[in-house]
Every structure is written in C-alpha cells, then in structure tokens.
Amino acid sequence: RELASFCVAQANTAVYQRSIEDEDCRGMGTTLVSAVAGEQGTIVCNVGDSRAYRFDGEAMHQISEDHSYVEEMRRRGKITEADARTHPQKNLITRAVGVEPCVEGDLFEVRLNEKDMLLLCSDGLTGMAEDSRIAEVLANAPTLELAGDALLQLALDGGGRDNITVALFTLGKKQGA
C-alpha cells in the first residue's frame, strides 16, 4: 500500500512540476492505473478513468472505480450504465494526476489465482470496446502479447478516438508462447 501511494505521489509531482515549468504544459493532467504484486496479493491503484479488471477466464470484473462526473451520476442512480457509455460528458474526470500539488489514488486489494489475468487500461480501450468483446479477446489469445495486440486492434477498430494503453499480467501460463 505504501509503495503504491508513494508511486502516485511521485508521478503527480513530476507531472505537476512540468506543468508549472513549461508554459506549453500549463493545466495538463493525466489518469493513472497501476498494480504492485507481492506475496500477500496485488494492490491496484487508480486516479481518473483508467481502469483495472480481473478476467477470470470467462468474465471481466472491474476492480477500480472511475473518478468521473458520469460515473458519480451512475453510482447515485441518476443514469444507467448504458446511459453512462454514451453520455456526452463521459470523459469529464473529477480527479487527475498532475493538476494539483497532491492527489490521492484509490487502492484496492486483489487476490489473483493462476487462471486470472489482470488488465490495466486507459479509456482508449474501454471507451471503444464493450467488456464482453474484451473478455472474448482475452479468452481466445494464446499469450499475453497476442492478447495485448488484439486489444489494441479492437480499440482501433472501434474508432480509436483516444490514447490506448493496455497492460496485462497473470500468474498463470499465458506469459509465453
């Protein structure tokens, strides 16, 4: 937990300092999702709307919670999940790295078993592809590298209107060919 929090603070300081020192970068910010794996489990951290999922071989299970205006409305029951996917303000985030001198990430403890995959991704993937399609790709890819390539292509085929970031981790055997 301490390492995850320290890393978020370091990333925030670096982005914030750059935004102060470089006039072209004034007001910039970014989202973050990370994971630290250890013997006691995995700690996932997020800021903004980049997400972490656990894929159990069949279904996606979202671990992180978006820091966005639309997600807050969905949690309060003001809009449905279907409405949230197409809401015109779905990219309006309420927390970001580098915008303020300090930011706090949300931490989640996750236990992974050998059949699970951990997916860390930006909204460039989740905004372009339904969870069911992402799960289908993960279930059918023989290696993590091929799964990552296929997820990138899935997002591009879906319109690729945002930065697309994908990182995959498993304790199991999909790590090599």
Side-chain angles (χ1 to χ4, degrees):
R1 285 187 166 274
E2 293 82 20
L3 178 59
S5 295
F6 174 78
C7 291
V8 169
Q10 292 292 107
N12 190 72
T13 297
V15 174
Y16 184 73
Q17 281 301 120
R18 178 69 187 267
S19 75
I20 291 172
E21 295 167 2
D22 186 339
E23 192 171 300
D24 291 336
C25 296
R26 294 262 193 272
M28 76 173 175
T30 190
T31 65
L32 175 145
V33 64
S34 64
V36 178
E39 290 181 18
Q40 302 301 315
T42 302
I43 301 292
V44 169
C45 181
N46 83 298
V47 178
D49 60 359
S50 287
R51 294 180 179 172
Y53 290 89
R54 182 179 61 83
F55 175 67
D56 66 9
E58 295 178 13
M60 303 280 290
H61 306 278
Q62 188 172 335
I63 298 165
S64 58
E65 296 178 0
D66 292 358
H67 303 126
S68 70
Y69 173 71
V70 169
E71 180 59 19
E72 287 180 20
M73 289 192 333
R74 189 200 62 76
R75 277 194 292 262
R76 292 182 185 150
K78 304 277 186 198
I79 60 173
T80 66
E81 191 163 333
D83 292 337
R85 285 197 67 76
T86 59
H87 196 281
Q89 294 176 313
K90 69 179 182 175
N91 291 330
L92 181 60
I93 57 175
T94 57
R95 197 184 311 174
V97 171
V99 176
E100 300 289 334
C102 295
V103 70
E104 190 172 320
D106 289 346
L107 300 176
F108 306 89
E109 291 186 37
V110 183
R111 292 263 181 215
L112 300 175
N113 64 48
E114 283 195 16
K115 69 177 183 163
D116 291 338
M117 259 190 257
L118 185 65
L119 166 64
L120 307 177
C121 61
S122 65
D123 64 331
L125 173 63
T126 57
M128 298 293 109
E130 296 284 335
D131 286 0
S132 60
R133 288 287 294 128
I134 295 170
E136 185 179 320
V137 166
L138 294 177
N140 293 312
T143 67
L144 292 179
E145 183 177 0
L146 291 173
D149 291 345
L151 290 176
L152 173 61
Q153 192 60 55
L154 182 65
L156 291 171
D157 291 347
R161 292 183 295 273
D162 204 343
N163 295 322
I164 306 163
T165 303
V166 174
L168 293 162
F169 172 81
T170 184
L171 300 173
K173 298 187 184 199
K174 277 200 166 188
Q175 294 190 35

